[in-house]
Amino acid sequence: MRQYTSKNDEQELSLQKEYMRKAASYVDGLAEQLGRRPLCCVTTFGCQMNARDSEKLAGILMQIGYEPAENEADADFVIYNTCTVRDNANQRVYGRLGFLNSIKKKKPHLKIALCGCMMQEAAVIEKIKKSYRFVDLIFGTHNIFKFAQLLVTMFENTDMTVDIWQETDQIVEELPVNRKYPYKSGINIMFGCNNFCSYCIVPYVRGRERSRDPKEIIQEIERLVADGVVEVMLLGQNVNSYGKNLDVPVTFAQLLREVERIEGLRRIRFMTSHPKDLSDELIEVMRDSAKICRHLHLPVQAGSDRILQAMNRRYTKAQYLQLVDKIRTAMPDIAITTDIIVGFPGETLEDVEETIDVVRRVQYDNAYTFIYSKRTGTPAAAMQNQVPEEVVRQGFDKLLKAVQDTAKERAALLQGKVLEALVEEVNEQDGTLMTGRLSNNMLVHFPASQNRIGQLVKVSLDTCHGFYYTGHVVD
Ligand code: 5AD
Ligand code: SF4
């Protein structure tokens, strides 16, 4: 097996800093031409990993002299960081590109860029080259660290700049990052996925698993904490297999122990856990930790053994339930959430009943339910027995109802309790309320002043409204 390097590539880092200076001179030129600072807009589709990548894109754009636009229509540079996990994400991008084209007709200096998972698909690139000629820059998931350099190429050419890599063994961190929240941050601990679940396109667009050096992760978190961060989310497609291909292998549980020691850090979250790789050591570390949040996202995908096998998930329903039992025995107050797919090739309504049975037994605090989407190039796309839409809909509705019922029951259990919440932002509907996040990832709204944002406060969960609470601060 190919050995990937885990260390930060310092040489590449200084090269990119060089390109940032050059890109800045182009942005200055544009500012002169416009008589104001140019505005940029980074739009994210998809998961937390993409959200983190977008903070990196925004970091570079700010560094070279752009200012954030209120909305896309005002921007002089728009970048879509795309997702391709389901086809509806792709369709949304095409739809919005049509809108951007109409803006560009009135504002020819508008630059449009596309990056992220969808761009790793050859058919997408062909389609954009043919039907969306007005796009200025396209790159993929493996060369995002070259963003500054790619911007320079874009400014120096009138043609569409396209640079897609099939893979990379480079890790380039420590470029500027523009964090969305001052008090919490995602941190990539690994990239890619080796699991090849038969429905999933991620291993094809994000490449093989590469773990970052643990020392560099710790240093990054220490820097974030010094900068005011109290909560971190460790990110990877399958964090439970973190560290397996490092020169000196480290387990995810060992990494968590190190992160726990960082002074000033108050909360630790992580995403996503594959059930087949969740170790007893991890359960122990979570149980004994004062900082790791009482929340585990544990995608089950399906409840029928036949479907699980066809999905290549490498666990059975019984094994999954046993794992949940072990977790709940160690941590009775833990919230468990999941992802479920309905309509995988060959899935019958009886199979969906098995999934519903899992939902009832596990009592998920929340479940993200998806309709199976056929992704070209995955083994499942070639399967003959695709499920008729009507059957999928029926199974999906029934499952959704079960998910909502159990989630409501779970939420009701905490009513009247006093728990710690991280104050995150002003409530969107009512400006007198603040929104806080509990350790179990649920939201609570309560009266408090804005200067408590970023603080941990004790909140009484007075009323449960199904999926969130209202309450009051008790400290
Ligand atoms: N169709 C529907 N849902 C999918 N997911 C991944 N691939 C597909 C697909 N082809 C879901 C899985 C995964 C989540 C991030 O997206 O449930 O856990
Ligand atoms: Fe996709 Fe499976 Fe990897 Fe998750 S673990 S990213 S579902 S292949």
Side-chain angles (χ1 to χ4, degrees), residues 3 16 30 68 71 98 116 129 189 198 259 321 344 373 399 403 435 453 462:
Q3 189 59 52
Q16 292 309 314
L30 181 60
N71 57 54
K129 278 186 181 165
I189 63 164
S198 63
V259 176
L321 289 172
F344 182 85
S373 169
L399 172 74
V403 164
T435 298
I453 290 180
D462 300 331

Side-chain angles (χ1 to χ4, degrees), residues 24-292:
S25 65
Y26 285 112
V27 179
D28 284 345
L30 181 60
E32 227 163 88
Q33 196 187 315
L34 296 173
R36 58 169 171 83
R37 289 314 304 174
L39 305 175
C40 70
C41 184
V42 181
T43 303
T44 312
F45 298 80
C47 67
Q48 314 254 11
M49 308 273 277
N50 260 21
R52 179 65 177 161
D53 283 347
S54 288
E55 292 185 343
K56 296 176 182 175
L57 297 170
I60 288 174
L61 290 168
M62 299 296 120
Q63 180 80 26
I64 65 173
Y66 279 100
E67 284 177 6
E70 287 279 321
N71 57 54
E72 253 170 49
D74 295 341
D76 306 293
F77 180 89
V78 174
I79 181 162
Y80 284 173
N81 187 7
T82 64
C83 168
T84 188
V85 83
R86 287 170 291 277
D87 188 53
N88 52 9
N90 294 40
Q91 296 315 321
R92 270 171 53 219
V93 168
Y94 290 128
R96 289 179 65 160
L97 275 177
F99 163 70
L100 282 187
N101 190 23
S102 65
I103 300 180
K104 190 162 178 163
K105 283 193 180 130
K106 286 177 247 151
K107 192 165 53 173
H109 75 267
L110 169 65
K111 296 278 184 205
I112 300 171
L114 300 171
C115 68
C117 293
M118 191 176 151
M119 300 306 127
Q120 292 296 138
E121 289 184 272
V124 169
I125 301 302
E126 285 316 305
K127 183 167 172 164
I128 294 170
K129 278 186 181 165
K130 204 164 140 232
S131 311
Y132 299 84
R133 293 290 324 155
F134 55 90
V135 172
D136 300 284
L137 168 64
I138 306 177
F139 58 98
T141 55
H142 300 297
N143 54 344
I144 183 171
F145 63 83
K146 288 213 180 267
F147 185 40
Q149 184 174 354
L150 290 163
L151 283 169
V152 169
T153 312
M154 179 192 79
F155 283 126
E156 290 176 353
N157 288 281
T158 45
D159 282 354
M160 187 189 271
T161 302
V162 183
D163 192 14
I164 311 288
W165 298 6
Q166 286 321 307
E167 62 172 339
T168 184
D169 61 357
Q170 279 171 291
I171 290 181
V172 187
E173 292 283 335
E174 295 171 39
L175 283 160
V177 177
N178 186 39
R179 288 203 318 274
K180 194 167 169 199
Y181 305 98
Y183 51 84
K184 69 173 182 180
S185 178
I187 285 119
N188 297 111
I189 63 164
M190 61 195 300
F191 306 92
C193 180
N194 286 353
N195 286 316
F196 291 95
C197 299
S198 63
Y199 51 81
C200 187
I201 202 165
V202 168
Y204 307 91
V205 296
R206 286 266 173 186
R208 293 298 65 71
E209 240 169 62
R210 297 167 331 268
S211 295
R212 278 179 75 194
D213 182 275
K215 276 196 215 74
E216 291 184 359
I217 295 171
I218 299 294
Q219 280 165 7
E220 182 177 347
I221 301 176
E222 283 171 346
R223 279 197 301 268
L224 286 167
V225 170
D227 197 33
V229 165
V230 291
E231 178 178 304
V232 290
M233 165 88 85
L234 309 182
L235 298 169
Q237 301 294 348
N238 178 16
V239 292
N240 294 336
S241 67
Y242 169 80
K244 283 188 183 154
N245 55 10
L246 287 168
D247 294 343
V248 184
V250 175
T251 64
F252 179 54
Q254 283 167 329
L255 176 71
L256 279 173
R257 275 205 190 96
E258 294 297 315
V259 176
E260 172 104 21
R261 285 201 197 104
I262 298 175
E263 236 175 273
L265 180 67
R266 304 287 298 275
R267 276 182 166 184
I268 305 165
R269 297 183 187 277
F270 52 85
M271 188 91 116
T272 286
S273 283
H274 194 304
K276 78 174 164 57
D277 298 311
L278 198 145
S279 67
D280 290 351
E281 189 195 9
L282 175 63
I283 298 175
E284 240 171 74
V285 171
M286 288 183 80
R287 183 198 61 201
D288 298 340
S289 167
K291 295 184 183 174
I292 301 174

Side-chain angles (χ1 to χ4, degrees), residues 47 85-86 193 195 197 199-200 236-240 270-278 282 295-303 308 311-317 319-321 323-324 327 335-341 355 358-359 362 364 366-370:
C47 67
V85 83
R86 287 170 291 277
C193 180
N195 286 316
C197 299
Y199 51 81
C200 187
Q237 301 294 348
N238 178 16
V239 292
N240 294 336
F270 52 85
M271 188 91 116
T272 286
S273 283
H274 194 304
K276 78 174 164 57
D277 298 311
L278 198 145
L282 175 63
H295 173 215
L296 191 63
H297 186 63
L298 197 62
V300 66
Q301 313 296 3
L308 284 171
M311 285 178 162
N312 191 31
R313 290 293 289 176
R314 287 174 278 172
Y315 53 80
T316 62
K317 177 183 174 190
Q319 284 167 333
Y320 183 92
L321 289 172
L323 176 64
V324 169
I327 295 164
I336 301 179
T337 57
T338 202
D339 291 341
I340 299 171
I341 298 174
T355 310
V358 174
V359 169
V362 174
Y364 290 111
N366 197 4
Y368 301 90
T369 48
F370 305 109

Side-chain angles (χ1 to χ4, degrees), residues 317 348-358 360 398:
K317 177 183 174 190
T348 62
L349 287 173
E350 287 81 69
D351 292 319
V352 180
E353 285 302 328
E354 296 278 338
T355 310
I356 292 174
D357 186 48
V358 174
R360 296 218 173 99
K398 202 160 174 207

